[in-house]
Amino acid sequence: MKTRTLSALSRPNLLALAIAATFTTHAFAEETTTKTTDKEIEEVVAVGKSVSYANNATSEEMFKQQSSMTSALAVIDNLPGVLVNEGDTFGSDDWSTTVSIRGFQLSLDEQQVGITIDGIANGNSNYGGGAKANRYIDTENLETVEVSQGTADIGSRSNEALGGTLNFTTINPGTEKAIITSLSLGNFDAQKYYMRIETGELFKDTYGWVSYSNSTNSDWITGTAENKRDHFAAKFVNGMDSNFEVTAYLSYDDVHEDNYQRVSLADFKKNPESDGLLGEWTGIPYVDQVYRQGWSTLRENLFGYVEVNTMIGEVELKANAYFHNNEGRGDWVPPYLVDVTNDGTNGNSELISGNTVHGGSSLGKIFFVDADGKALAPNAGCQSAITFPYGGAGAEYDPACYENGAIPVGSYRHTHYEKDRYGINADLTWEKKIGEDTNVVRAGFWYEDYERSEHRDWHKILDSKSSYEFDHTPYWVQYDRTYPVETMMAYLEDSYEMESLTLRAGVKQYFVDLESKDHYSNASKSVNSDSDLLFSAGAVWFTPVEGLEVFAGYAENFAAIKDQVLEADSSALSNVEPETAENKDFGVRFNNAAVSASVTVYSIDFENRLTFIAPGSQTGNDYLVGTNGSYVNTGGIKSSGVEAAVTYYPTNEFSIYASYTSNDSEYSTGTIGYAAGNTVFGSVEKMGVLSLDWQSEQYSAGVSTKWLGDRWMDPQNTIRIDGYAVSDLYIGVDLKDLGAAFDGASIRFTVNNLFDKSYMGGVAGGWGGWIGAPRTAAINFQARF
């Protein structure tokens, strides 16, 4: 792979010349970072900063509607245009997590919404080696989430932000020494222990905190999942009150998740309380392929950054360097051994520990063996009586079709993921007064170098009759590949701020090189995924009406080809193109002492939609597929809609929040299975939220209901999912005057899905989805010393 370093800025194109010129004439970073010392989110909902695109932020009430055990993603679910579905209330399964904004998806199929952590790229959100925000941040260390729908900020660090960006920000250290402890308990064996130590002034003008949490829970269907998470984090800030601020953050996250499975709509209607995975081991490999503890996600993520924020004369500089290591595996339980060695009549070497074959391909499958380890064939003419799962099995899987003494054999398949990322960011802002007006020039770049590795090995289950315990020495390593990727993004923007009008225009460009290396065949593939020049523009008009502003924005967004495209054997690289989107926003915002409101009308033209075709289907899984699936461009999509949000404060203690979304996303150019004019499967069409919240000096309570209209489950628009409404409740109390040792304490009780509604949640694959979580109660006790 050719090396592309910062010298890429010297490329002879308009953007590079503009950036270089700006760097030499005092252009420095983003708008000044607001410095806070404690978690303070007072407003019920932020209707948006005064920028030329739609944006919202989470509120304190949105945090209270979720338990302290839930994932960081869940708190954004009530914002306009946003739909978050997870396998359970606690978000303890990445496989089943989906996020939808304006018809753009984060799911097994697609990664079209950008995620940043304190403004730093998350390194993709896909299941196979990616990491969503909950891998970086404990919910109890989360300050807020800024959601920029559609056009988003030009400096956003993501190359998959077609539908906007979610920026998750961590809390800053407090100025006083303190210890915060938290215990959470909930349904489905859920519990979480959390502690954060605030250091106070550790060194001169240096403050910090260190936290640790341990959480566990089971699944809500069979009650047999063994989900567990350990999370360590620390953050230190030097120079909080000076002109030179240095911030350092480090987090380590270790999870073991047992997955939920997708179901078809027909299966959901038959039994809405089962996803088809079993809690007990039966001893029949074909049935045990859906043993829940054999469908697992194991991940470790280590992430850290150091950031400098300073002023140099009239210029502000914000720059950081970061690293990220991701490693783990995904598990499955295929109901056979793969025959990978031609042993003739000498038995099957796959049964003998230590005989590891590297590479090669399947010579067949072994289902049952005799006492000497020789493969057996089923009795001629036998008809299998197995009817579960996937509609039943052939005779080769049924122990009743073999003579007495036949020994079942099966595999435990691991797909191992590892990724190392290193990157730097720099943003520059230069403000210059021109008469009564202000001109603001912003410029910046993002460079990241990462290498992702993936290999898959197959392990013999030691005794398929009794358990899924496996031989830790694999009998076959199916493949071993590495994917180096380099990303460079540079941008330039100019804003002119007048008394009643702000105008902005900008341009950015991505340079992305991807490569794959097969360590067994020495074959390699490479693809260039550079973007064209991406333009953006916008305006904000501050009307004569106090608190009322009108905004309009345009942006060309881009999502680079993912490295997974190179891993899929069936993907024709010459026919795969990066995804692009043209986003247009027009809206109004209003804010005074009693009302905060916003309305946005948007239009999006999305081209080259890249769809992941997963190996799993409602008729079963193809465990031998050489990769996790393939990618194809499925034409274009046109989306348009309206997003509205309003918060009304009738008293100082009471607030009413409502949001409404109307979205129309259709395939604009047809491909096989994706006919032009069909509605994009899984996309939100109608959605609304109503929240009532009460907060006194000591007590708080609230109830929120989210309604979602009907959706399509398949791109052919033949399977319609019913809409649903889900309500959440919370009640809290702050305890005071507990003695000199206590700074305070609180108790908060939450109930999600209060009325135990049964519904289909996130969808993926064009045929199925995950069942929504049932009513789940949790209680949190927090003490502050």
Side-chain angles (χ1 to χ4, degrees):
M1 178 178 186
K2 65 177 182 290
T3 300
R4 175 177 283 148
T5 62
L6 298 186
S7 62
L9 289 175
S10 63
R11 285 186 167 201
N13 60 50
L14 175 61
L15 179 59
L17 292 174
I19 294 288
T22 306
F23 269 51
T24 59
T25 56
H26 303 292
F28 269 73
E30 269 181 310
E31 53 208 56
T32 303
T33 301
T34 300
K35 300 173 183 176
T36 60
T37 58
D38 294 290
K39 185 172 182 177
E40 299 177 352
I41 310 174
E42 299 298 335
E43 69 273 27
V44 172
V45 60
V47 297
K49 297 179 290 186
S50 293
V51 292
S52 59
Y53 51 85
N55 67 99
N56 301 87
T58 52
S59 68
E60 185 179 7
E61 282 68 23
M62 293 177 184
F63 279 80
K64 290 179 178 179
Q65 290 161 10
Q66 305 296 330
S67 78
S68 298
M69 292 180 285
T70 195
S71 81
L73 294 169
V75 298
I76 65 173
D77 192 42
N78 279 359
L79 292 175
V82 179
L83 173 65
V84 178
N85 288 117
E86 299 177 282
D88 59 35
T89 299
F90 308 115
S92 55
D93 176 29
D94 187 70
W95 180 260
S96 59
T97 297
T98 64
V99 179
S100 177
I101 300 178
R102 295 185 175 182
F104 293 94
Q105 311 281 343
L106 283 182
S107 67
L108 288 180
D109 299 313
E110 296 143 326
Q111 291 82 50
Q112 299 162 346
V113 178
I115 289 179
T116 56
I117 312 301
D118 288 339
I120 295 173
N122 72 318
N124 298 335
S125 303
N126 58 292
Y127 174 82
K132 300 178 181 68
N134 54 307
R135 305 298 195 203
Y136 300 92
I137 304 178
D138 190 301
T139 304
E140 293 181 79
N141 294 335
L142 181 62
E143 173 74 28
T144 190
V145 187
E146 299 169 339
V147 179
S148 299
Q149 299 99 327
T151 58
D153 183 77
I154 191 171
S156 175
R157 265 64 175 176
S158 176
N159 57 14
E160 55 186 22
L162 289 163
T165 303
L166 312 176
N167 183 35
F168 294 77
T169 61
T170 55
I171 58 173
N172 273 339
T175 57
E176 303 294 331
K177 292 181 180 179
I179 296 177
I180 297 91
T181 62
S182 172
L183 170 64
S184 300
L185 303 171
N187 290 135
F188 315 116
D189 303 319
Q191 63 180 24
K192 177 183 177 182
Y193 305 95
Y194 169 88
M195 177 176 283
R196 186 175 78 248
I197 299 174
E198 296 276 357
T199 67
E201 189 171 21
L202 190 62
F203 305 108
K204 180 176 174 53
D205 204 15
T206 300
Y207 304 86
W209 56 258
V210 178
S211 77
Y212 170 76
S213 67
N214 170 270
S215 54
T216 59
N217 67 280
S218 187
D219 67 286
W220 61 267
I221 298 177
T222 59
T224 56
E226 297 181 346
N227 301 316
K228 55 186 178 181
R229 180 192 189 199
D230 288 286
H231 187 89
F232 166 85
K235 188 173 185 179
F236 294 88
V237 180
N238 172 265
M240 294 177 67
D241 299 319
S242 72
N243 217 17
F244 189 87
E245 181 180 285
V246 179
T247 302
Y249 178 74
L250 180 70
S251 70
Y252 170 75
D253 190 82
D254 184 7
V255 299
H256 179 127
E257 302 170 346
D258 290 335
N259 307 146
Y260 294 92
Q261 179 180 208
R262 284 171 292 175
V263 300
S264 68
L265 184 59
D267 286 339
F268 170 74
K269 290 181 176 180
K270 289 178 185 177
N271 186 357
E273 298 180 352
S274 173
D275 65 350
L277 298 186
L278 300 178
E280 301 296 331
W281 189 263
T282 69
I284 302 173
Y286 186 83
V287 177
D288 291 333
Q289 68 177 308
V290 291
Y291 180 59
R292 188 176 302 280
Q293 291 186 28
W295 288 48
S296 299
T297 299
L298 289 75
R299 294 289 189 277
E300 291 183 67
N301 283 274
L302 178 65
F303 168 74
Y305 69 82
V306 176
E307 182 172 274
V308 175
N309 196 344
T310 187
M311 295 293 296
I312 304 175
E314 297 179 338
V315 175
E316 182 186 1
L317 165 67
K318 183 168 74 174
N320 61 60
Y322 65 91
F323 72 92
H324 175 214
N325 173 260
N326 171 307
E327 59 181 287
R329 72 175 204 242
D331 295 355
W332 244 345
V333 195
Y336 49 77
L337 288 178
V338 184
D339 187 357
V340 291
T341 302
N342 188 355
D343 297 301
T345 60
N346 298 320
N348 294 98
S349 58
E350 292 81 8
L351 279 70
I352 302 173
S353 181
N355 291 335
T356 303
V357 174
H358 295 269
S361 58
S362 170
L363 303 176
K365 301 174 184 176
I366 305 169
F367 306 98
F368 287 81
V369 298
D370 62 18
D372 296 323
K374 294 181 179 180
L376 299 175
N379 297 329
C382 182
Q383 298 293 318
S384 174
I386 296 176
T387 60
F388 174 88
Y390 310 123
E396 66 273 18
Y397 291 100
D398 194 335
C401 289
Y402 294 84
E403 300 297 331
N404 290 336
I407 302 171
V409 292
S411 300
Y412 205 145
R413 201 198 78 173
H414 298 162
T415 304
H416 299 263
Y417 306 102
E418 184 169 3
K419 177 187 288 185
D420 288 294
R421 296 192 298 134
Y422 303 92
I424 54 176
N425 297 288
D427 296 277
L428 309 109
T429 300
W430 178 39
E431 292 190 12
K432 189 69 176 178
K433 293 292 290 185
I434 302 176
E436 297 297 319
D437 303 330
T438 303
N439 191 71
V440 182
V441 179
R442 296 175 56 204
F445 70 86
W446 164 40
Y447 173 78
E448 180 177 280
D449 188 347
Y450 85 68
E451 182 172 280
R452 185 176 74 86
S453 299
E454 181 179 325
H455 72 274
R456 176 171 297 165
D457 52 28
W458 296 64
H459 302 255
K460 179 186 179 298
I461 292 180
L462 295 173
D463 181 5
S464 291
K465 285 186 177 181
S466 62
S467 76
Y468 74 128
E469 297 296 328
F470 60 92
D471 184 344
H472 285 241
T473 301
Y475 67 86
W476 184 31
V477 182
Q478 187 175 359
Y479 61 82
D480 186 0
R481 300 166 185 157
T482 301
Y483 304 91
V485 177
E486 279 189 292
T487 299
M488 177 72 187
M489 183 273 282
Y491 74 89
L492 173 65
E493 182 184 69
D494 186 80
S495 298
Y496 195 77
E497 301 174 357
M498 295 168 275
E499 181 179 1
S500 61
L501 183 66
T502 296
L503 302 174
R504 70 173 181 89
V507 61
K508 67 178 176 180
Q509 189 168 20
Y510 290 88
F511 312 108
V512 184
D513 287 332
L514 306 90
E515 188 176 353
S516 70
K517 300 177 181 179
D518 191 312
H519 295 289
Y520 290 157
S521 69
N522 293 321
S524 64
K525 305 175 187 176
S526 63
V527 62
N528 177 286
S529 188
D530 294 354
S531 74
D532 296 330
L533 288 173
L534 305 172
F535 295 95
S536 64
V540 180
W541 174 40
F542 304 95
T543 71
V545 178
E546 179 93 21
L548 179 65
E549 63 184 47
V550 179
F551 65 91
Y554 168 82
E556 297 173 347
N557 290 0
F558 166 84
I561 294 173
K562 310 298 187 295
D563 60 32
Q564 293 93 332
V565 173
L566 280 74
E567 82 178 12
D569 297 332
S570 57
S571 295
L573 294 179
S574 60
N575 295 325
V576 174
E577 298 181 18
E579 297 173 308
T580 60
E582 293 184 6
N583 294 264
K584 306 178 186 70
D585 283 359
F586 178 80
V588 295
R589 300 186 188 98
F590 179 74
N591 188 25
N592 65 16
V595 177
S596 296
S598 67
V599 179
T600 303
V601 179
Y602 61 87
S603 174
I604 305 170
D605 191 357
F606 177 19
E607 295 182 351
N608 301 321
R609 179 176 183 263
L610 197 59
T611 300
F612 175 67
I613 308 300
S617 73
Q618 57 188 319
T619 58
N621 300 305
D622 184 356
Y623 302 104
L624 274 169
V625 65
T627 62
N628 286 329
S630 61
Y631 285 79
V632 295
N633 287 114
T634 53
I637 291 175
K638 289 188 179 297
S639 294
S640 59
V642 178
E643 296 165 346
V646 60
T647 305
Y648 173 52
Y649 309 88
T651 71
N652 289 333
E653 294 184 342
F654 188 65
S655 65
I656 303 171
Y657 165 74
S659 69
Y660 176 74
T661 301
S662 176
N663 176 74
D664 181 17
S665 297
E666 295 184 349
Y667 300 109
S668 58
T669 56
T671 60
I672 297 175
Y674 296 82
N678 281 5
T679 299
V680 175
F681 78 87
S683 63
V684 170
E685 298 176 39
K686 305 291 181 183
M687 184 168 62
V689 173
L690 177 63
S691 295
L692 308 177
D693 295 279
W694 172 69
Q695 174 75 60
S696 70
E697 183 177 350
Q698 188 172 4
Y699 303 101
S700 63
V703 61
S704 177
T705 297
K706 180 163 187 170
W707 166 78
L708 183 69
D710 296 352
R711 293 168 292 158
W712 292 107
M713 181 175 277
D714 63 329
Q716 296 79 25
N717 289 182
T718 61
I719 307 173
R720 190 71 164 166
I721 312 170
D722 291 338
Y724 61 88
V726 173
S727 298
D728 299 326
L729 169 75
Y730 71 89
I731 301 172
V733 58
D734 290 324
L735 306 177
K736 301 181 179 180
D737 302 324
L738 298 176
F742 285 88
D743 187 45
S746 63
I747 303 172
R748 180 165 53 94
F749 177 68
T750 60
V751 184
N752 298 108
N753 196 356
L754 178 65
F755 301 107
D756 204 20
K757 176 67 176 178
S758 180
Y759 64 95
M760 286 295 297
V763 303
W767 63 268
W770 290 273
I771 304 173
R775 178 170 51 229
T776 305
I779 190 167
N780 172 259
F781 305 91
Q782 186 188 90
R784 301 175 292 278
F785 302 91

